[in-house]
């Protein structure tokens, strides 16, 4: 799996992102825009595990802070 689009999915939370991070290590693109329940912790894990990730879309993710992206 190289691309996942979960834009506006209200049932997606941190546990789902952890599962993606653990199983989709070849992921190149992910769209999590407007997924409001995810946090820095799960997205940080995703970024650490998916080493070939080229693009991530996080528009409207209200629980993500600048601190997450400052480390990139």
């Amino acid at each position: 799996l190289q691309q996942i689009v979960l834009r506006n999915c209200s049932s997606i939370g941190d546990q789902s992102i952890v599962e993606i991070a653990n199983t989709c290590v070849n992921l190149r693109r992910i769209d999590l825009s407007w997924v409001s329940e995810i946090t820095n912790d799960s997205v940080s894990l995703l970024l650490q595990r998916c080493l070939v990730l080229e693009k991530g879309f996080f528009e409207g993710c209200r629980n993500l802070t600048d601190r997450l992206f400052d480390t990139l």
Side-chain angles (χ1 to χ4, degrees):
L1 186 62
Q2 292 187 356
Q3 179 172 310
I4 298 176
V5 177
L6 297 171
R7 176 181 283 266
N8 289 318
C9 289
S10 60
S11 61
I12 299 296
D14 280 339
Q15 186 57 43
S16 298
I17 302 307
V18 168
E19 290 298 320
I20 291 169
N22 288 330
T23 58
C24 300
V25 294
N26 293 319
L27 196 62
R28 293 191 177 276
R29 296 173 61 102
I30 190 163
D31 187 348
L32 296 171
S33 298
W34 304 102
V35 178
S36 60
E37 298 304 316
I38 59 174
T39 66
N40 285 2
D41 292 337
S42 65
V43 174
S44 178
L45 180 67
L46 179 80
L47 297 175
Q48 290 171 26
R49 298 265 170 91
C50 299
L51 299 178
V52 295
L53 191 66
E54 297 169 352
K55 296 233 181 216
F57 300 94
F58 304 99
E59 180 182 3
C61 296
R62 65 178 181 222
N63 292 324
L64 300 184
T65 66
D66 291 340
R67 181 179 59 87
L68 172 67
F69 300 103
D70 287 343
T71 62
L72 297 179

